[in-house]
């Protein structure tokens, strides 16, 4: 099998037929079976990690090993005929393979780091005049989410029930959410344990980031609106979140670095950083009704983030809170300035007041049963293109 060496390599967990889940490297339309590659005896580390059904033990070996394995595979692919990887039995068709949750997520934290999103939501939920709360430009606001309900892309999502209070005069009711939404996000996976009591500086932060993936933080806006004061998101968020099956290694993003927005006022010392740490990742959301065709409803970009990953990690640990391999830190909804770039229906439909017209002429303000929401992401520069694994979820 001739594999093009131009595809980026993404880590994940897959299974094929009756075989047990194992580590794979996605490359274009194919997956390299790393457990099978391990059998060749060409790696000089403990390859039992490739037979695991989650990436954590592999990630825990550290960047020297994980990036070393990646460059080794890449250099074989660059050889004429793909060297030892020419054997077709090492490769699996991506379309027929089953994907699994790539990491066992220990703790999941969700930030709120897009200034456009925070402003839009502030206007809708609170005060149009003072949309951003006073703390917002001083620290990356976040909350602790729930990891047990994180599912892999392709998993159906059940519409949650909960307490809602449609208006001031009604008593609270218990019913299925009628304001089901997605949140277009990217998450990064922690690649190294930190020590309790020891903050991670922005300079040290890159050592702790294994890779990134697209992430859908499904949200029930009616449940959220009634429950969130004073302690923040709870049941309106934790019924499900969908993670891509494929993780893009942090170092793969290097050529796509761009400057972040200017932060004003100047941030405190522990949030300052050197260099460019925003990334030009094109993002697209499509909504597909049952049996219908997909309509692109949002085009955004990860580069819009006001707070970057280094600042998020430095802030998360500045009080001594530790992180562990496999933790997931998500960006928060990624919105841009123009109305097509909003990363949630809450913003796209202006709080449920505006119609979103799909290709078949039907109208959405919130997600309906049978709808499939798909996120795609890619980076492109000078002929180099890296595609993130998609995030797909259908509401049932
Ligand atoms: Mn979120």
């Amino acid at each position: 099998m001739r594999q093009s060496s131009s595809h980026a390599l993404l880590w994940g967990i897959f299974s094929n037929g009756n075989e047990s889940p194992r580590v794979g490297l996605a490359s274009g339309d194919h997956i390299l079976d790393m457990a099978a590659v391990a059998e060749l005896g060409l790696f000089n580390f403990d390859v039992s990690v490739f037979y695991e059904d989650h990436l954590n033990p592999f990630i825990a070996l550290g960047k020297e090993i994980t990036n070393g394995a990646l460059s080794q595979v890449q250099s074989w692919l660059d050889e004429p005929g793909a060297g030892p990887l020419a054997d077709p039995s090492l490769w699996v068709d991506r379309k027929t393979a089953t994907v699994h949750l790539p990491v066992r997520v220990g703790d999941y934290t969700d930030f709120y780091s897009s200034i456009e999103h925070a402003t839009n939501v502030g206007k809708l939920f609170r005060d149009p005049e003072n949309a951003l709360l006073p703390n917002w430009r001083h620290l990356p606001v976040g909350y602790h989410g729930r990891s047990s309900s994180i599912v892999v892309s392709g998993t159906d999502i059940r519409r949650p029930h909960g307490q809602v209070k449609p208006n001031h005069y009604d008593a609270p009711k218990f019913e299925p959410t009628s304001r089901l939404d997605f949140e277009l996000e990217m998450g990064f996976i922690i690649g190294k344990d930190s020590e309790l009591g020891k903050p991670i500086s922005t300079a040290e932060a890159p050592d702790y980031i294994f890779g990134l993936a697209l992430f859908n933080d499904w949200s029930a806006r009616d449940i959220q609106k009634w429950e969130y004061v004073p302690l923040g998101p709870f049941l309106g968020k934790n019924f499900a979140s969908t993670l891509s099956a494929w993780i893009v290694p942090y170092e793969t993003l290097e050529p796509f670095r761009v400057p972040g927005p200017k932060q004003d006022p100047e941030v405190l010392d522990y949030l300052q950083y050197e260099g460019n740490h925003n990334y030009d990742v094109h993002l697209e959301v499509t909504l597909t009704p049952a049996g219908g065709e997909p309509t692109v409803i949002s085009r955004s970009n990860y580069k819009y983030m006001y707070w970057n990953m280094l600042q998020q990690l430095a802030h998360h640990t500045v009080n001594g809170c530790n992180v562990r391999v496999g933790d997931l830190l998500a960006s928060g909804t990624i919105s841009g300035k123009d109305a097509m770039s909003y990363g949630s229906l809450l913003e796209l439909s202006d709080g449920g007041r505006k119609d979103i017209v799909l290709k078949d002429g039907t109208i959405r303000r919130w997600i309906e049963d049978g709808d499939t929401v798909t996120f795609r992401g890619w980076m492109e520069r000078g002929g180099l293109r890296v595609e993130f694994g998609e995030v797909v979820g259908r509401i049932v």
Side-chain angles (χ1 to χ4, degrees):
M1 178 175 304
R2 181 77 52 87
Q3 280 301 309
S4 160
S5 64
S6 66
H7 290 297
L9 300 168
L10 283 58
W11 292 107
I13 300 290
F14 77 99
S15 58
N16 195 33
N18 294 325
E19 285 178 335
S20 56
R22 73 248 337 255
V23 173
L25 267 175
S27 168
D29 294 335
H30 296 86
I31 301 169
L32 181 61
D33 180 341
M34 290 304 289
V37 174
E39 300 283 345
L40 302 176
L42 298 168
F43 289 119
N44 59 0
F45 56 88
D46 176 11
V47 293
S48 67
V49 292
F50 289 137
Y51 299 86
E52 299 278 352
D53 64 0
H54 55 294
L55 287 169
N56 304 47
F58 171 64
I59 296 171
L61 294 177
K63 277 188 190 250
E64 205 175 314
I65 302 273
T66 58
N67 286 336
L70 197 75
S71 348
Q72 180 62 78
V73 166
Q74 190 59 61
S75 68
W76 285 329
L77 289 175
D78 292 340
E79 285 178 29
L85 304 183
D87 179 356
S89 72
L90 301 174
W91 295 90
V92 169
D93 189 334
R94 197 157 158 182
K95 282 190 287 294
T96 56
T98 303
V99 289
H100 303 269
L101 195 63
V103 282
R104 203 166 276 175
V105 179
D107 281 303
Y108 154 47
T109 299
D110 196 23
F111 286 94
Y112 191 52
S113 289
S114 150
I115 196 164
E116 288 82 6
H117 173 70
T119 305
N120 292 339
V121 172
K123 282 180 187 165
L124 287 166
F125 273 25
R126 287 182 300 272
D127 179 2
E129 300 302 313
N130 296 292
L132 280 187
L133 288 169
N135 60 2
W136 201 91
R137 287 173 183 271
H138 294 275
L139 55 88
V141 170
Y143 71 95
H144 287 116
R146 182 83 192 160
S147 56
S148 64
S149 50
I150 295 176
V151 296
V152 71
S153 175
T155 309
D156 283 347
I157 306 297
R158 248 193 305 265
R159 177 178 297 273
H161 287 61
Q163 247 195 62
V164 298
K165 191 175 182 302
N167 61 60
H168 184 69
Y169 308 100
D170 289 333
K173 296 186 285 189
F174 179 77
E175 58 184 32
T177 176
S178 58
R179 299 190 153 213
L180 188 57
D181 200 354
F182 62 84
E183 288 192 336
L184 173 62
E185 303 200 17
M186 297 202 56
F188 65 95
I189 303 292
I190 295 294
K192 182 174 156 182
D193 290 353
S194 75
E195 208 180 305
L196 181 65
K198 199 171 168 290
I200 299 170
S201 68
T202 55
E204 295 163 329
D207 286 349
Y208 289 84
I209 304 173
F210 172 72
L212 282 81
L214 301 182
F215 185 67
N216 185 344
D217 180 28
W218 302 97
S219 299
R221 300 301 181 191
D222 39 6
I223 299 172
Q224 180 185 356
K225 190 174 184 188
W226 170 228
E227 77 177 357
Y228 90 108
V229 179
L231 288 187
F234 190 41
L235 303 180
K237 297 279 189 178
N238 69 5
F239 57 94
S241 310
T242 306
L243 182 64
S244 169
W246 301 103
I247 313 289
V248 177
Y250 179 65
E251 285 69 21
T252 302
L253 279 84
E254 174 72 35
F256 307 96
R257 283 173 189 250
V258 288
K262 182 177 161 43
Q263 296 184 321
D264 182 25
E266 196 181 350
V267 297
L268 290 174
D269 280 352
Y270 81 93
L271 289 168
Q272 300 210 357
Y273 62 93
E274 301 279 328
N276 294 333
H277 297 282
N278 279 51
Y279 295 91
D280 188 7
V281 183
H282 301 272
L283 300 168
E284 186 180 276
V285 181
T286 59
L287 194 149
T288 312
E293 54 174 329
T295 302
V296 176
I297 56 171
S298 174
R299 291 182 213 277
S300 190
N301 195 304
Y302 186 46
K303 72 181 176 189
Y304 300 144
M305 303 311 292
Y306 189 86
W307 297 101
N308 64 45
M309 290 184 279
L310 312 192
Q311 294 180 307
Q312 290 168 337
L313 194 46
H315 184 64
H316 202 312
T317 59
V318 75
N319 65 347
C321 172
N322 56 322
V323 292
R324 293 177 296 196
V325 168
D327 286 355
L328 172 66
L329 276 65
S331 58
T333 306
I334 304 166
S335 294
K337 283 191 169 54
D338 67 278
M340 181 66 190
S341 66
Y342 295 163
S344 66
L345 288 176
L346 177 69
E347 297 160 88
L348 291 165
S349 75
D350 193 21
R353 287 186 288 263
K354 211 178 104 193
D355 291 340
I356 297 156
V357 184
L358 305 181
K359 273 189 185 158
D360 63 4
T362 59
I363 281 162
R364 289 291 182 281
R365 293 183 180 186
W366 307 104
I367 305 171
E368 294 185 5
D369 288 348
D371 286 353
T372 298
V373 177
T374 304
F375 295 174
R376 289 195 184 81
W378 66 94
M379 306 183 282
E380 211 156 23
R381 180 164 291 183
L384 184 62
R385 184 180 164 99
V386 174
E387 291 205 29
F388 281 75
E390 62 183 12
V391 162
V392 185
R394 185 182 55 159
I395 301 301
V396 295

